Amino acid sequence: MHLSSRTLDLVHSPIGAAHALLDQRNVARALLDLSQAAPSFPPPPAVAERVAEVAHEADGGRYAPQPGLPALREAFAEELSRVYRGSVGAEQVLVTAGCNQAFCLVASAVAGPGDSVVLASPFYFNHDMWLRAEGVEVVHLPPDADLLPDPDRAAELVTGRTRAIVLVSPGNPTGVTIPPDRLRGFAELARSRDVALVLDETYRSYRGTDAPAHDLFADPGWDDTVVSLHSFSKELAIPGYRVGAIVGGVALLVEALKLLDCVAISAPRIGQEAALAGLRHAGAWRAEQVARLARLQGEFEAAMAEEPGGFELVSAGAYFGWVRHPFDRSPTADVVRRLVLDHAVLVIPGTAFTPTDQAMLRFSFANLGSDEIAELPDRLAEIVA
């Protein structure tokens, strides 16, 4: 049968490709898995208990209202309004089957073949893949010396065909948080050029501060320009429940709902019930996880401080370390292969997140224990021994 060139030209998931190497390992030792940014521990008790209850309820297996459970939309809008010191209404929240779906719905609602989207680099690989699959031209916005996107540079890339600027903060893969004043600059640029500012805030709680990530929700009419994407997966350790959210203007959400009806009808009810229970009853648990991850980040930064094996930690934050490997004349895919096969260290090549090979690797330290982080420098040093 004929297969679409749009998908044939896409790469397979870099996470799946890295995991495919595991069966070829040359060493019988415990794996240090720094590949996936997904919690590997159970959700808070209140969430697990609510899930068990829902499974026995008459409505537990039925479709949820397409925009999402009203109570969840209201609770999330209230949290965002409080945390960001702005104004978000329930009608501006659309619950989706994860944040990946949230991005896909928004991207397809604002752009199509012949349009272009400015994507800050390093980018989240699924964002780049989806835009290409939709026939949208991807214009990469290189970072500055601090790995931050620059609104002035972005202004040079916006044309009459541009429909959106896409940012991720904290960044995946870099962990870098974009400061509020810079986000303000992007919002002003987007408003002045009549394009959407799509801000993926999956890791918003992992910024090392309780201060608002930005003040954009305090602007009258913010929803004419700003689209904020969210995930409950990291916050509540429920990645498999597939629940995220689009926060934006009602007109945009109406268009996104048309697409949602084609691909999922609605986000899974049980995931929405889990998220609602987490919002209502797991505040202390969520805070504990944020503090625990901050401690792990400190341990990871200390472990990498001496550049073991020549691996340089360029940035760290949220779940991630962005690491430059010392083999700049070797394809990064080969370095990943050596790390997995000979040293049982599983990471993701930076080529999944950048338009060219820049000798970078993404380390997801969040699922390692303290003892595993302490062992990592020795494993990295072995590669050049």
Side-chain angles (χ1 to χ4, degrees):
M1 70 178 68
H2 177 76
L3 299 176
S4 170
S5 61
R6 288 184 183 175
T7 55
L8 288 172
D9 291 341
L10 299 178
V11 298
H12 287 282
S13 165
I15 295 175
H19 278 258
L21 296 171
L22 294 179
D23 291 338
Q24 305 172 42
R25 279 184 290 167
N26 300 319
V27 292
R29 64 199 302 188
L31 179 72
L32 297 184
D33 187 352
L34 297 99
S35 63
Q36 236 176 342
S40 57
F41 45 87
V47 169
E49 292 164 6
R50 179 57 186 145
V51 167
E53 292 174 355
V54 173
H56 293 281
E57 294 178 355
D59 290 340
R62 296 179 180 174
Y63 293 123
Q66 196 185 21
L69 294 175
L72 175 58
R73 298 171 72 200
E74 185 67 39
F76 193 49
E78 290 176 357
E79 174 168 297
L80 293 178
S81 297
R82 181 182 71 256
V83 172
Y84 286 81
R85 302 170 193 168
S87 179
V88 177
E91 74 282 359
Q92 295 167 309
V93 175
L94 169 60
V95 182
T96 60
C99 193
N100 250 0
Q101 187 187 78
F103 175 80
C104 294
L105 298 179
V106 168
S108 296
V110 302
D115 295 330
S116 70
V117 167
V118 175
L119 194 62
S121 181
F123 47 79
Y124 177 51
F125 56 82
N126 283 148
H127 292 174
D128 183 80
M129 290 173 66
W130 183 258
L131 291 168
R132 293 181 186 280
E134 290 287 272
V136 176
E137 180 191 14
V138 178
V139 180
H140 293 122
L141 170 62
D144 66 15
D146 296 318
L147 290 178
L148 291 168
D150 183 348
D152 291 334
R153 177 71 180 99
E156 300 172 0
L157 303 178
V158 174
T159 71
R161 295 191 299 114
T162 304
R163 298 294 174 260
I165 300 168
V166 179
L167 309 175
V168 183
S169 182
N172 178 0
T174 65
V176 171
T177 296
I178 304 173
D181 60 342
R182 194 161 294 207
L183 292 176
R184 163 67 55 190
F186 273 102
E188 292 172 354
L189 167 64
R191 184 177 297 109
S192 69
R193 306 293 282 273
D194 194 27
V195 302
L197 174 62
V198 181
L199 179 57
D200 185 325
E201 301 195 74
T202 294
Y203 300 95
R204 66 184 175 92
S205 294
Y206 306 101
R207 296 177 293 111
T209 176
D210 292 330
H214 56 74
D215 62 358
L216 302 181
F217 293 143
D219 289 348
W222 65 263
D223 58 353
D224 288 335
T225 301
V226 176
V227 185
S228 182
L229 309 181
H230 294 268
S231 169
F232 297 97
S233 298
K234 285 37 173 194
E235 293 270 325
L236 297 169
I238 52 172
Y241 286 62
R242 307 314 304 138
V243 56
I246 302 169
V247 179
V250 172
L252 170 67
L253 300 190
V254 167
E255 301 309 305
L257 277 168
K258 298 175 185 177
L259 300 169
L260 179 61
D261 193 54
C262 295
V263 295
I265 299 179
S266 64
R269 177 183 289 269
I270 201 159
Q272 296 192 52
E273 292 280 6
L276 179 58
L279 290 178
R280 285 176 168 173
H281 307 298
W285 187 92
R286 293 165 68 190
E288 289 171 4
Q289 298 309 313
V290 170
R292 182 183 64 82
L293 221 61
R295 291 193 297 270
L296 283 178
Q297 179 180 332
E299 294 172 10
F300 175 72
E301 290 175 339
M304 297 295 295
E306 300 300 322
E307 299 186 10
F311 289 81
E312 177 193 359
L313 180 62
V314 176
S315 63
Y319 272 53
F320 308 111
W322 191 230
V323 177
R324 179 176 292 111
H325 67 73
F327 309 102
D328 56 356
R329 295 186 180 181
S330 299
T332 295
D334 290 349
V335 178
V336 170
R337 185 178 181 86
R338 290 172 60 191
L339 284 170
V340 175
L341 300 190
D342 299 330
H343 308 283
V345 176
L346 182 61
V347 299
I348 302 301
T351 46
F353 310 95
T354 57
T356 60
D357 192 335
Q358 299 172 13
M360 301 301 297
L361 303 165
R362 190 190 76 174
F363 285 42
S364 298
F365 59 80
N367 284 327
L368 296 185
S370 295
D371 55 341
E372 293 173 309
I373 290 176
E375 186 178 351
L376 179 60
D378 290 340
R379 298 274 187 105
L380 297 178
E382 288 173 3
I383 199 170
V384 292

